[in-house]
């Protein structure tokens, strides 16, 4: 039976380190959050981010812009925050109204204030193994792997999903640890080869968003399984891996919810402190 890799206790441990770092800074770090219009998911993220930030000694500034804000107006606002020396990090809350393209706007955040690690300059640094600010979800996955004490050198690691925010940057971080990385995606599934790859995985990371995509019986005995997926099925939140069957074969497995999720906001705060240090 697998050990549960829970995100909450690990997040608490990392938060303690962040608190210590914050106490060594000359001034309280400031996170500026932009919310355009009103919607329930963004309200919930903002509330939870504010709580985490304040608890760590970080100042959380919320800037609410109206629903009709244009891309040009939002870019101008981002640029004002870029030149505000008091602001260390900027985050744009999703979802955005339909007239705004997040990908376009997020590139206007200065790389040193891009605490989500999504600016092309920060993504590019991952290739060179020099990134100080990492995208939050891949960083959370790496922390969970560290917790298992697995030596990734030469390990067969399979990543399912090749999105820009999870699969692609994560595969580079794993390569940097000398893992043998296989990245599977929709093409792998359509070619009927997903099972074959998953069965080989000593470490399996799944970030797709399809409940039950990975069958429990495919899991290699003793594998480490990190399930990033979040799916709502009949009023329950589940991952992409068939948990009950996979748990019987894996050595470690993340629960969903309660695995990767609780760590991502912690990674955001860690990036903010890193950004503040780089700026000082
Ligand atoms: P995307 O939709 O951007 O990416 C999904 C990936 O899965 C794509 O690479 C897609 O390939 C691939 N894919 C789709 N269908 C299949 C299939 N049948 N077989 C193999 N690969 C497939 O999602 P994200 O990366 O943003 O998120 C993935 C999941 O992780 C979601 O459930 C999301 O909610 C969750 N998530 C959880 C977070 C957390 O904090 N726990 C944070 C971020 C995401 P292609 O694009 O080629 O179709």
């Amino acid at each position: 039976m697998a050990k549960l890799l829970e995100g909450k206790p690990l997040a608490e441990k990392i938060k303690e380190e962040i608190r210590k770092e914050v106490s060594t800074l000359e001034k309280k770090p400031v996170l500026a959050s932009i919310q355009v219009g009103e919607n329930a998911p963004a309200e919930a993220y903002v509330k939870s981010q504010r709580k985490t930030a304040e608890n760590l000694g970080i100042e959380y500034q919320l800037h609410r812009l109206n629903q009709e804000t244009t891309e040009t107006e939002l870019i101008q606002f981002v640029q004002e925050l870029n030149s505000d020396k008091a602001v260390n990090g900027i985050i744009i809350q999703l979802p955005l109204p339909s007239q705004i393209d997040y990908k376009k706007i997020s590139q206007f955040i200065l790389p040193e204030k891009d605490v989500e690690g999504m600016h092309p300059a920060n993504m590019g640094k991952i290739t060179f193994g020099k990134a100080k600010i990492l995208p939050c979800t891949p960083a959370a996955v790496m922390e969970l792997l560290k917790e298992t004490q697995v030596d990734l050198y030469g390990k067969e690691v399979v990543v399912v999903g090749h999105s820009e925010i999870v699969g692609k940057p994560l595969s580079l971080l794993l390569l940097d640890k000398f893992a043998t990385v296989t990245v599977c995606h929709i093409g792998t599934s359509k070619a009927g080869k997903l099972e074959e790859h998953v069965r080989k995985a000593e470490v399996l990371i799944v970030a797709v968003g399809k409940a039950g995509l990975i069958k429990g019986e495919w899991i290699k005995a003793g594998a480490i399984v990190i399930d990033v997926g979040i799916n709502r099925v009949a009023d329950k939140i589940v991952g992409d891996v068939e948990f009950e069957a996979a748990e019987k074969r894996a050595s470690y497995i993340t629960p969903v919810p309660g695995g990767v999720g609780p760590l991502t906001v912690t990674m955001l705060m860690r990036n903010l402190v890193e950004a503040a240090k780089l700026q000082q």
Side-chain angles (χ1 to χ4, degrees):
M1 203 69 155
K3 284 192 191 140
L4 268 191
L5 254 183
E6 290 184 283
K8 253 199 179 143
L10 180 54
E12 286 310 316
K13 204 163 88 182
I14 299 171
K15 280 183 195 162
E16 208 39 61
E17 292 163 14
I18 298 175
R19 253 181 227 113
K20 278 192 198 134
E21 289 260 20
V22 169
S23 68
T24 66
L25 295 173
E26 279 167 25
K27 69 171 207 44
K28 212 176 190 183
V30 176
L31 175 58
S33 161
I34 308 174
Q35 187 183 343
V36 186
E38 277 178 32
N39 59 73
E43 293 291 340
Y45 295 140
V46 162
K47 209 170 147 201
S48 130
Q49 285 165 5
R50 182 190 289 282
K51 195 170 155 212
T52 309
E54 291 177 351
N55 190 264
L56 294 172
I58 291 167
E59 185 181 325
Y60 190 86
Q61 288 180 356
L62 178 61
H63 301 274
R64 288 183 189 272
L65 305 186
N66 69 49
Q67 181 79 18
E68 286 72 40
T69 305
T70 63
E71 280 191 339
T72 314
E73 287 166 340
L74 183 52
I75 291 168
Q76 266 170 10
F77 191 68
V78 165
Q79 284 169 335
E80 279 170 33
L81 293 177
N82 278 342
S83 42
D84 184 344
K85 287 210 162 45
V87 169
N88 301 108
I90 303 169
I91 174 171
I92 301 173
Q93 301 299 333
L94 295 176
L96 285 164
S98 57
Q99 73 275 16
I100 296 173
D101 175 1
Y102 171 74
K103 232 168 156 180
K104 180 174 163 192
I105 305 295
S106 62
Q107 301 197 5
F108 284 88
I109 298 176
L110 277 181
E112 55 269 35
K113 293 194 178 186
D114 161 44
V115 284
E116 289 191 278
M118 293 306 296
H119 191 283
N122 287 325
M123 283 283 181
K125 281 185 188 158
I126 300 177
T127 310
F128 300 102
K130 295 216 181 301
K132 295 246 192 255
I133 294 180
L134 295 175
C136 300
T137 308
V141 171
M142 294 308 285
E143 285 298 333
L144 285 163
L145 288 176
K146 207 156 105 191
E147 198 62 10
T148 68
Q149 296 186 339
V150 63
D151 180 3
L152 290 168
Y153 195 98
K155 282 275 177 322
E156 288 289 340
V157 180
V158 174
V159 178
V160 187
H162 67 161
S163 71
E164 286 158 12
I165 65 160
V166 190
K168 278 183 192 164
L170 179 61
S171 59
L172 289 172
L173 293 172
L174 292 161
L175 263 184
D176 215 37
K177 302 282 179 207
F178 289 85
T180 305
V181 185
T182 304
V183 184
C184 300
H185 40 74
I186 190 71
T188 321
S189 280
K190 290 214 164 135
K193 292 191 172 159
L194 186 61
E195 174 179 352
E196 178 187 324
H197 288 293
V198 170
R199 280 191 184 274
K200 279 192 308 203
E202 295 174 285
V203 175
L204 174 70
I205 302 150
V206 190
V208 172
K210 284 192 179 148
L213 176 71
I214 306 296
K215 307 292 166 221
E217 68 192 61
W218 297 355
I219 306 297
K220 190 180 174 79
I224 296 172
V225 179
I226 312 269
D227 192 349
V228 183
I230 301 177
N231 310 286
R232 184 172 285 278
V233 175
D235 266 359
K236 259 183 78 182
I237 301 289
V238 298
D240 294 338
V241 179
E242 284 182 348
F243 183 85
E244 283 76 17
E247 180 186 36
K248 295 195 178 93
R249 303 176 63 84
S251 58
Y252 286 91
I253 189 165
T254 53
V256 179
V260 180
L263 274 167
T264 50
V265 65
T266 309
M267 297 295 106
L268 178 77
M269 301 305 160
R270 190 167 74 179
N271 278 344
L272 178 77
V273 174
E274 202 53 51
K277 277 164 47 190
L278 289 171
Q279 289 158 33
Q280 270 181 12

